Amino acid sequence: MNATNNAPLPVTLIPGDGIGPEVVDAARRLIDATGVRIAWEEAHAGASVFRKGIASGVPQETLDSISRTRLVLKGPLETPVGFGEKSANVTLRKLFETYGNLRPVRELPGVPTPYAGRGIDLVVVRENVEDLYAGIEHLQTPGVAQCLKLISRKGCEKIVRLAFEVARAEGRKTVHCATKANIMKMTEGLLKRTFEEIAPEYPDITAQHIIVDNCAHQLVRRPEQFSVIVTTNMNGDILSDLTSALVGGLGFAPSANIGSEVAIFEAVHGSAPKYAGKDVINPTAMILSGVLMLRHIGAHAEADRLENAVLFTFEEGRHRTRDFAGDAGSCGTRAFTDAILANLGKTPRRTPARTRSKLVLPVTSTAVDLVRPAKREVVGLDVFVESPLQPEVLGPKVQAAAEGTAFRLKMISNRGTVVFPLTGAKTDVVDQHRCRFVFQNPALDVGNGEVGALLSGLERQGLRWMHLEKLQAFDDRPGFTKAQGED
Ligand code: NAP
C-alpha cells in the first residue's frame, strides 16, 4: 500500500458519536495537509445506526466500504441504552479479524503528569478478538451468569508474533507478556506458554513474563521499565487505559487495530458525550491514530511530518486543550488543530525521534485445527445442574443418578470449590453446581447413549441440567483443571 505516488488511496472514514466528528475532522484535516493522497469514503456506524433499528450498529454499506478499502479511520461509537446488545466497535474489530490492538503511549512535552521527565515510551499489544470479549454469555440459572473466556493457540500465536514484530520495527529491546497464568492455567497459561515457545525466534529481544496484577503495580511504580507489553484482551483493555493515564489521560492515547486484511485506526477514548460539539476536547489521540495509519500505509515521511508537528506544538506549549491546561489558558479543539497545522514542517527540539522500520505483519497458519495431538481420550463429564438443595442433600441424589451408568460421581463443586463429598468447610453455595463424573473406562469418545443414560438418571432424581462439558486428555495431559479442594 502506498498513498504517495499512485492514485489516491481509499480509506473508510467513520466520524462516530459524541466527540467523534470533532476529533476525526481534526485528524483528517491534518492527514490531508501532510500531502498524502487519500480518497476518504465516509461511512456510518454506532448510535445513529442503532436508532435506525440495525441491531449490529454497523450497516451493510459500511461493511462494504471497509471490505473495499481495508483501511478505516474511525471515531468512537456508542451503543445507546435500549438499542442493540453488542458494541458496534467490538463487532467491527471481530468481523474484520483485527486481532491485534496496538496502544502506544509516550511522554509528551509540557503535559503535566507525576511521571514527567521519566521518558515513558511503551506499547501495549492487546489481543483484540478473543477472551471474555468473545461475548459468549449465558444465564445458567436465573441467578448465575457465565461468560466464556475463549483463548486459542492460534490467537496467542498471532498476537505474540505481532508484539515481537512491533518491537523489531521500533527498535525496542524488551517484550513483557502479562498474564494471569498462575490462576487461569489453561486460558491465560496458553498465552504464556505460546510466548515462551516463540520468544527464542527473536533472540535480539529480551522476553519476560509478568503476572498482570504485578504489571499494573509496576506500571504505576516504574513505568519506564516497560517497552512492549503483550496481553489478553481484557487485561489489555484495562492496562492500556492505565498507561494512557500515565502520559496525561485518554486524550493522548492512539490505537491501531491490526489484522492480516484490515486495519482500523481510532483513539482509545470513547465518545465523551458531555463534551460533544463544545470544541473543548483534545484531538491528540485521534491525530496520533492518524500517524499510526500513515505509517501503516507506508507514508513514513508524512507520518513523521505530522508527528513532529504534534510534538513541536507540545514543546511550544502555546496551545493546550482543557484536559491538560485546566480552564484557564486553554484553547479549543479547532484552534489546537490549527496550531498543529501551522507547525507542519517543523522539527521538535527536545523530543527524540524513534528510528522505525516497516512493521512486518506475522504470517501464521490458517489451519482451523492448529494443534493436533497424537492421542486423545475422554475421561469423564462435567454436568452443570441447577438445584436449590444444599450439598449434603444434593450429593447422594447425584450419586444415585449415576448408578447403573458408565459414570461415577467424583465430586460436586460450587463456583469452583468442592462442596461434595463434604469437606467440613463453610462454603456458601448458589443454585449452579458442577457435578464431575468420571468414566469408568477412559474411551476415545463418550457415546450419546451413555450421556443420555446419565442425564435420564439426573432427571429421575428431579434435577435440572443446563450445561455439559467433556473431560478430555490430550497426549496424556488433562484438558481441564481441578476444582479448588479436589484431589
Ligand atoms: P470516554 O468517552 O473515553 O470518556 C471518559 C472521560 O475521559 C471523559 O469524561 C474525559 O474525562 C476523558 N476524555 C475522553 N476523551 C477525551 C478527549 N479526547 N479529550 C479530553 N478528555 C477526554 O469513556 P466513557 O464515558 O466510559 O464512554 C462514553 C461512551 O463511549 C460509551 O458509550 C462507551 O461505550 C463508548 N466508548 C467507545 C469506544 C470506542 O469507540 N473505541 C471506546 C471507549 C468507550 P473528564 O470527564 O475527566 O474530562
Side-chain angles (χ1 to χ4, degrees), residues 12-25 42-49 51 57 62 72-79 88-89 92 265-266 269-272 276 286:
T12 303
L13 185 83
I14 303 178
D17 300 316
I19 60 172
E22 291 165 78
V23 290
V24 168
D25 179 63
E42 192 162 321
H44 295 279
S48 59
V49 177
R51 288 201 178 92
T62 300
V72 185
L73 187 71
K74 73 171 272 289
L77 306 179
E78 266 171 37
T79 308
N89 286 307
L92 281 176
F265 300 85
E266 60 180 334
H269 63 70
S271 60
M286 195 67 222

Side-chain angles (χ1 to χ4, degrees), residues 3 24 51 71 73 103 106 122 128 159-160 188 264 271 275 312 357 371 378 384:
V24 168
R51 288 201 178 92
L71 283 169
L73 187 71
R103 298 188 160 191
R106 71 184 292 192
L122 62 88
N128 213 23
I159 198 67
V160 165
E188 293 275 319
I264 303 173
S271 60
Y275 296 130
F312 188 91
S357 52
V371 183
V378 178
F384 292 74

Side-chain angles (χ1 to χ4, degrees), residues 104-312:
V105 292
R106 71 184 292 192
E107 178 178 337
L108 290 164
V111 178
T113 76
Y115 299 94
R118 287 168 61 170
I120 294 172
D121 180 1
L122 62 88
V123 189
V124 175
V125 180
R126 164 188 172 193
E127 198 290 321
N128 213 23
V129 293
E130 301 194 335
D131 196 6
L132 294 162
Y133 293 25
I136 307 172
E137 294 192 298
H138 297 94
L139 274 182
Q140 292 208 322
T141 78
V144 180
Q146 162 191 272
C147 179
L148 281 188
K149 182 174 168 77
L150 277 185
I151 306 276
S152 73
R153 165 71 198 204
K154 193 192 245 182
C156 292
E157 196 160 328
K158 290 204 281 194
I159 198 67
V160 165
R161 289 190 185 282
L162 182 65
F164 280 112
E165 292 298 342
V166 166
R168 270 207 179 145
E170 301 192 357
R172 296 176 182 274
K173 296 290 168 226
T174 310
V175 177
H176 282 86
C177 175
T179 77
K180 197 70 187 169
N182 52 326
I183 303 292
M184 288 169 272
K185 295 188 166 59
M186 300 255 147
T187 50
E188 293 275 319
L190 189 51
L191 181 66
K192 178 174 184 279
R193 286 191 296 279
T194 308
F195 177 73
E196 287 163 351
E197 273 174 41
I198 289 174
E201 294 179 37
Y202 296 85
D204 46 323
I205 295 163
T206 305
Q208 214 172 314
H209 176 260
I210 184 166
I211 293 176
V212 66
D213 37 345
N214 183 32
C215 184
H217 163 240
Q218 292 292 334
L219 274 169
V220 174
R221 274 177 62 81
R222 219 161 52 80
E224 59 276 18
Q225 69 185 290
F226 294 100
S227 194
V228 176
I229 301 170
V230 61
T231 190
T232 47
N233 202 341
M234 186 154 130
N235 291 339
D237 195 4
I238 298 166
L239 286 185
S240 60
D241 264 33
L242 188 160
T243 54
S244 76
L246 300 176
V247 297
L250 284 169
F252 303 94
S255 84
N257 300 279
I258 302 288
S260 305
E261 300 293 330
V262 168
I264 303 173
F265 300 85
E266 60 180 334
V268 170
H269 63 70
S271 60
K274 66 182 175 186
Y275 296 130
K278 296 199 171 142
D279 192 37
V280 294
I281 42 77
N282 184 351
T284 304
M286 195 67 222
I287 294 167
L288 293 178
S289 304
V291 171
L292 296 179
M293 187 185 88
L294 289 173
R295 291 215 167 94
H296 184 78
I297 63 175
H300 294 286
E302 291 82 351
D304 290 347
R305 208 165 126 78
L306 179 50
E307 188 175 46
N308 282 342
V310 171
L311 294 172
F312 188 91

